[in-house]
Amino acid sequence: MRSHVGANQADGHEDELLGKAYDSRLVARLWEATRAYRRVVLVSAFLFFPIAALELLQPYLLKVAIDSHILRADWGGLTGVAGVFLLTLAGLYALRALQSYLMQLTGQRIMHDLRHRLFAHAQKMDAAFFDKNPVGRLMTRILNDVEAVSDMFGSGVVAILGDLVTVAGVVAVMLAMNWRLALVTFALVPVLAVSAAYFRGQARDAYRGLRTRLARLNAFLQENLQGMTVIQLFCREGAEQRAFVALNSDYRRAQFRSTVYDASLYAVVEAIGSAAVALLLWYGGGQIWEGVLTFGGLVAFIEYTNRFFLPIRDLGAKYAVMQAAMASSERIFGLLDLEPGIRSGAAAARSEAPPIIEFKNVWFAYEGDEWVLSDCSFRVAAGERVALVGITGAGKTTIARLLNRSYEVARGKVLVGGLDVSEWDLTALRRRVGLVPQDVFLFTGSVEANLRLAADGAVRRDALERAAAVANARGFIESLPEGFGYEIKERGANLSQGQRQLLAIARALVYNPAVLVLDEATSSVDPESEALIQDAMERLLEGRTSLVIAHRLSTVQRADRVLVLHRGRVSEEGTHAELLRRGGLYSRLYELQCGR
Ligand SMILES: Nc1ncnc2c1ncn2[C@@H]1O[C@H](COP(=O)(O)OP(=O)(O)OP(=O)(O)O)[C@@H](O)[C@H]1O
Ligand SMILES: [Mg+2]
């Protein structure tokens, strides 16, 4: 058994498997993604031809300079060739710069579009999707995977195409110039191919191992940093550190292995390239004596040989980029292809629908057939205030989630205003049924921005201030350093529990839904804040149809009716007094809580 937290999360990175470096189906979809920039892509691909031509011209100019001018002491002619050489250099770098500019531009635009599509898609997904996909994994999709795809444009497939053009040109020129000498160079290609294939295979395995370990390290760090306060609370720093040391060393070893193979590949190709030059000098030197080859011809050949081996040397790295890009695009498209589990119904906004909610024989399970609700039925009439009670884990919060269709029921019906929630337009439904959740989620940003979040369109600042006043939140907000402009930290870390609850109530007031589901926070606050919260809640509930998931006695006492949730269904119902008199489950719960 592992002793550190997050042990489960670290496993199961099917994510990190690398497969083919080329998958026509994926490439077709990526090609589709470039649609808007196709002209730019084609232009930069076309630039490979003039670039290759200029590269091929340079060794030839060397040959001309040596044979026709240097060896004949022709100063004027040499100056002319040097001028042409300079011009080709300038042209080459200008074209390369232009091409790289265009490629980066396209790559980054495609990245931008993909990130946008992924985020927009994530917004459509339902709560069950987010239960299954941890935040860390989704972040990797939207940031790292997209980055890997863009690398393909910067240094992968596109560069490979360019290399192919250059190598083909070099081979043609070498054969045309002196086929015997060309064959001497090519004699080393089989040696090169075999050793490169070996090292590339090893490097690929090493890279795969590296990615898996990086993912583990990421997952571990994310959870540990987020839960740092809990780890400190239980004095688990030592154990967590040991776990981290193990993961960290694993990662270092994988990284080193990967570097060794990469470097070996590099070195082998370099060595073979040098061997080729030595062979050329030896064989070509003989040809010069025989008068078959000129001195300049030999120099040009050596230059061509370099241009032949260089792209081959870089092929390994580019191959790895392609593999990563394919694996990443597979995951990106996999996510984009995932249909949201909950789709909006067609019924248009129904502002006239009466604020009535009803559960009819509802069955629901988060997983398989572990029923949380089984045959649950109840009804809340217009303007009624109903309290829902039950032991922890009974399914109260679940009922709230089903009401605004965060999850889909398995059987039975949830009706709002007489209409099945699956028929409601989702936005209209969520405007109609407001939810104040058990755990208040606040965003980084000012207090005002957090209140404005709940507003429909533009709302004047004084409306927000009024809502805050009704929610008893104005007092503490104005005592904050910048009042409504006070910057809230991540998850509201710089506010107290009670303050967060008051803000949540103010936010619900701004939202102003006809039906309100209030999931009372279980965390208790000091008596003074408690009184403020209760008073604010009272005002929030006034004149609305409401279902209050109650944890406070006072809430239950003020409700028109109380529902007791037990074993997945409503087992008792009545007013607080009636239920007490009946002496059933409710009275037992009450006695437990009040210690009587
Ligand atoms: N996202 C989820 N995925 C899987 N199971 C869940 C999920 N949320 C809740 N559950 C399970 O569903 C059951 C009901 O949970 P629910 O949150 O509705 O309880 P509750 O009545 O609100 O409890 P509490 O009073 O503690 O808030 C629990 O057994 C819980 O483990
Ligand atoms: Mg709950």
Side-chain angles (χ1 to χ4, degrees):
M1 202 190 86
R2 297 203 212 176
S3 62
H4 62 90
V5 297
N8 295 329
Q9 202 187 341
D11 289 336
H13 273 276
E14 80 291 334
D15 274 23
E16 299 306 323
L17 294 181
L18 287 176
K20 291 186 271 188
Y22 182 86
D23 182 323
S24 54
R25 192 178 46 88
L26 290 173
V27 169
R29 294 196 66 175
L30 282 171
W31 181 235
E32 192 55 40
T34 65
R35 180 189 281 272
Y37 316 111
R38 205 152 285 173
R39 222 174 302 161
V40 186
V41 173
L42 289 178
V43 167
S44 51
F46 174 77
L47 285 177
F48 283 128
F49 295 98
I51 288 177
L54 287 179
E55 287 216 44
L56 293 181
L57 189 59
Q58 285 176 355
Y60 184 74
L61 288 176
L62 277 183
K63 172 180 153 47
V64 173
I66 294 172
D67 288 346
S68 314
H69 306 293
I70 297 180
L71 293 182
R72 294 185 191 158
D74 169 14
W75 178 247
L78 183 60
T79 314
V81 175
V84 176
F85 194 87
L86 260 182
L87 279 181
T88 58
L89 265 188
L92 187 61
Y93 287 118
L95 287 178
R96 278 213 190 117
L98 177 65
Q99 188 184 43
S100 154
Y101 177 83
L102 292 178
M103 279 296 157
Q104 290 292 340
L105 193 74
T106 323
Q108 286 176 17
R109 284 198 179 145
I110 290 169
M111 248 198 331
H112 166 270
D113 293 356
L114 275 179
R115 280 195 299 259
H116 182 189
R117 269 171 73 187
L118 282 169
F119 182 69
H121 192 72
Q123 280 191 321
K124 286 193 222 122
M125 301 314 279
D126 52 300
F129 168 83
F130 289 98
D131 287 347
K132 280 191 224 101
N133 293 279
V135 176
R137 190 186 300 173
L138 293 175
M139 298 266 295
T140 309
R141 288 285 174 289
I142 301 176
L143 300 176
N144 304 23
D145 279 342
V146 169
E147 181 99 42
V149 169
S150 102
D151 280 350
M152 193 175 99
F153 288 89
S155 57
V157 64
V158 184
I160 290 180
L161 284 180
D163 286 352
L164 280 180
V165 174
T166 310
V167 168
V170 168
V171 168
V173 170
M174 283 168 89
L175 284 175
M177 270 179 72
N178 187 330
W179 65 270
R180 273 189 217 149
L181 211 50
L183 289 187
V184 169
T185 308
F186 300 154
L188 287 172
V189 168
V191 186
L192 181 71
V194 170
S195 49
Y198 171 75
F199 283 112
R200 194 180 312 139
Q202 296 292 323
R204 185 176 60 219
D205 288 347
Y207 181 71
R208 187 180 301 168
L210 181 69
R211 295 277 303 189
T212 315
R213 283 168 183 83
L214 179 64
R216 282 189 197 153
L217 203 58
N218 257 330
F220 180 89
L221 268 178
Q222 194 191 346
E223 206 172 24
N224 250 261
L225 291 176
Q226 243 165 24
M228 189 59 83
T229 45
V230 179
I231 287 166
Q232 289 168 346
L233 198 64
F234 290 108
C235 309
R236 297 284 300 169
E237 293 97 330
E240 295 304 311
Q241 206 176 107
R242 279 191 294 281
F244 184 76
V245 166
L247 287 173
N248 196 12
S249 314
D250 245 17
Y251 178 59
R252 192 208 59 217
R253 274 192 291 272
Q255 209 171 22
F256 190 69
R257 209 171 101 86
S258 173
T259 312
V260 165
Y261 286 120
D262 266 351
S264 309
L265 179 63
Y266 208 82
V268 164
V269 178
E270 200 89 319
I272 291 175
S274 304
V277 171
L279 261 179
L280 277 179
L281 280 175
W282 173 71
Y283 189 82
Q287 280 201 336
I288 290 180
W289 285 330
E290 288 166 18
V292 189
L293 183 68
T294 61
F295 191 64
L298 182 60
V299 173
F301 238 88
I302 292 174
E303 274 296 304
Y304 280 124
T305 307
N306 282 334
R307 282 175 169 65
F308 177 72
F309 281 104
L310 212 70
I312 297 180
R313 187 190 66 192
D314 296 341
L315 198 67
K318 285 166 189 161
Y319 186 83
V321 168
M322 284 296 292
Q323 258 185 333
M326 285 299 133
S328 286
S329 49
E330 171 127 53
R331 295 195 289 261
I332 289 172
F333 291 127
L335 181 57
L336 286 175
D337 288 346
L338 217 58
E339 294 284 334
I342 292 179
R343 288 185 165 280
S344 180
R350 308 180 128 232
S351 50
E352 79 285 4
I356 302 172
I357 52 184
E358 186 172 5
F359 268 52
K360 267 191 182 164
N361 312 99
V362 169
W363 290 71
F364 176 78
Y366 286 100
E367 303 224 12
D369 55 0
E370 288 171 26
W371 300 108
V372 176
L373 298 180
S374 44
D375 205 24
C376 177
S377 301
F378 67 88
R379 184 184 154 91
V380 181
E384 198 182 13
R385 183 191 304 184
V386 170
L388 183 63
V389 299
I391 57 169
T392 179
K396 304 181 293 294
T397 301
T398 305
I399 285 183
R401 290 176 182 151
L402 293 178
L403 264 174
N404 66 16
R405 210 172 163 225
S406 292
Y407 292 84
E408 199 90 279
V409 299
R411 270 180 252 159
K413 273 185 178 170
V414 176
L415 304 165
V416 171
L419 189 67
D420 196 318
V421 286
S422 63
E423 287 169 38
W424 273 83
D425 172 75
L426 262 188
T427 315
L429 175 69
R430 289 171 187 173
R431 280 274 352 138
R432 198 80 177 140
V433 183
L435 174 68
V436 180
Q438 202 165 10
D439 311 305
V440 184
F441 193 99
L442 296 173
F443 290 86
T444 44
S446 64
V447 171
E448 183 178 339
N450 268 281
L451 289 179
R452 209 170 272 285
L453 186 76
D456 229 2
V459 166
R460 287 162 53 114
R461 163 78 172 260
D462 53 351
L464 298 179
E465 284 176 14
R466 262 202 310 281
V470 175
N472 286 336
R474 194 165 178 171
F476 94 81
I477 293 174
E478 280 172 355
S479 72
L480 292 171
E482 285 134 81
F484 279 82
Y486 181 68
E487 284 293 315
I488 294 177
K489 299 234 174 80
E490 209 179 11
R491 292 187 299 269
N494 53 347
L495 290 178
S496 76
Q497 283 281 352
Q499 289 170 338
R500 276 182 244 169
Q501 288 175 28
L502 290 177
L503 268 189
I505 293 175
R507 199 154 69 174
L509 277 163
V510 173
Y511 197 54
N512 193 23
V515 179
L516 190 83
V517 182
L518 198 151
D519 204 345
E520 254 185 1
T522 30
S523 54
S524 47
V525 293
D526 65 279
E528 198 180 329
S529 310
E530 178 72 30
L532 279 180
I533 292 171
Q534 280 193 25
D535 183 53
M537 245 172 59
E538 197 57 37
R539 294 189 207 161
L540 172 63
L541 295 177
E542 211 166 274
R544 282 180 228 273
T545 305
S546 57
L547 182 68
V548 185
I549 298 168
H551 293 286
R552 295 183 177 89
L553 179 61
S554 58
T555 316
V556 187
Q557 283 169 335
R558 284 187 198 147
D560 299 323
R561 209 147 46 93
V562 180
L563 306 176
V564 182
L565 191 63
H566 186 57
R567 294 184 194 277
R569 67 187 70 183
V570 175
S571 64
E572 289 173 30
E573 99 175 72
T575 63
H576 171 68
E578 280 168 11
L579 288 175
L580 274 190
R581 247 179 280 129
R582 198 177 299 167
L585 177 67
Y586 182 79
S587 63
R588 283 205 299 283
L589 278 176
Y590 177 73
E591 275 165 28
L592 273 178
Q593 200 164 33
C594 300
R596 270 175 242 176

